[in-house]
Amino acid sequence: MSVLLSDVVSGSAVGLRGRMWRLTASELRAAAVSASAEILRLEAVRVAVVDELSMRPDDQVIASRGVGCWLAANTMLQVRDGKKIAALGAALRPFPAVAARFDVGDCSFEHAVLIVAFCESPPKGMPEEALPRCIDLLLAAASGVEATTTKVRNVIATLERVFESDEVPPAEDVDRNELRIASTLNGRVVVRGDFDALTGEMLLSALSNLTMPTPAPDGTPDTRSAAKRTADGFTELIRRYLDCAKTGTDGGQRPHVNVHINARDLAEHRDCAATPTDDGMAVSDLDVGHMPWLGPLSVSQTRLLGCDCFLSTVLLDDHGAPLDAKPGKRLVSAEQRVALIARDKGCAFPGCTCVPAWTDAHHIRHWANGGPTVMNNLVLLCRSHHRLMHRKSGFVGKWVIRIGVDNKPWFIPPPSIDPQQHPRPANTTFKT
């Protein structure tokens, strides 16, 4: 190791960024590995010192209500982290094999916590004489550069299954399952859940293909965060289930998203809300959609859903009482969707490679405004581009879709994208 490389590992980081240009790539890699090993060494030193101090507390430690709180008060650590350090030191005392591996830097702090937690609360079906062998297996999984938290947890889960008792393991206890769904004040929905391992496996398997990063046709990486991809995938999973699954009935019909709106409001959009009335306006008169579970829904979003929906018509009198109900019909038939897939091969928006299963049939001229549900008034759009055409802030009405002489959709961009507004063909170049 060169003198400069030694300084990098053992010296201060002040001014370091301006001096590292002298290091080669291999030296930088060596410095990163050495610094990581030094962190493990110092972490073990801190745990040992704090544990010794907890057994011989002085007035300062006693006044701080424990060594963990004292450590947090005198460092940049949070109280919870100080208590974790103190707790690990105490937990390592009965298990010298784990402490020895941790002290030499061959086991990280997090992995040591997992191992001692297992040792303190082993499976009820495990005999005492099996503990040393179990510790060896856990340390083997937690040691070396290939050690991962997932690997350690898998060994723990395996040992819990090997030494099964009459009690159901927490990971398999379906009685603990919880799912809470609540609406917020701004109309959004918060979902919190806690499931057994099998249910979690099914959910992750169902979401796996739906949450993968999807690069653009030019190779640009997917800019969505992992959380956003998961949310998009979860939305798509629910939509596919409601569209295709044998869901049974709920109140006499298959459960689905139900949106109620006046035909006038859907056709006239915001104009009717600005029209004064002689007898005032009730909440039920406002031009918004309404969902049975979560209440109001904007007309823009209602129109988006209305492009490709199952439509039921109910005639009402002047007081809002039903007079007649017509049989429901699907706006876009199965045959039309097959034809749209054959023509558009997925989302037709320029540059999009979204597959047909993730698309809606969009009415170029909305059916509530007299647009017919025919091939020359329909185009497949993914949910993102469908939303853009309906309500994306700053884009509503700027992208125009026309059916060309070739009987295929053409997209006319806004002047902000193309001042000449040259029509762009449907994006089928990257689809086969």
Side-chain angles (χ1 to χ4, degrees), residues 49-78:
V49 170
V50 169
D51 186 44
E52 183 68 21
L53 186 58
S54 70
M55 293 186 289
R56 296 191 289 119
D58 60 3
D59 291 343
Q60 290 192 35
V61 173
I62 295 173
S64 299
R65 295 183 302 165
V67 68
C69 293
W70 169 85
L71 182 63
N74 290 273
T75 64
M76 298 180 68
L77 292 172
Q78 300 296 312

Side-chain angles (χ1 to χ4, degrees), residues 315-347:
L315 299 180
L316 307 176
D317 62 17
D318 293 339
H319 303 287
L323 292 175
D324 187 23
K326 296 182 179 179
K329 64 175 182 178
R330 184 160 190 87
L331 288 182
V332 179
S333 67
E335 293 78 10
Q336 286 175 318
R337 175 166 278 277
V338 170
L340 286 170
I341 293 173
R343 187 193 71 187
D344 298 342
K345 301 181 174 63
C347 179

Side-chain angles (χ1 to χ4, degrees), residues 300 349-350 362 381 384-401 411-418 421 424:
S300 296
F349 196 89
H362 168 67
L381 294 176
S384 294
H385 287 123
H386 195 183
R387 187 176 294 110
L388 181 146
M389 300 304 297
H390 275 275
R391 63 171 295 164
K392 190 74 171 180
S393 177
F395 279 92
V396 174
K398 291 190 177 181
W399 277 91
V400 178
I401 306 177
F411 293 77
I412 302 173
S416 59
I417 294 178
D418 180 2
Q421 293 190 281
R424 302 184 182 187

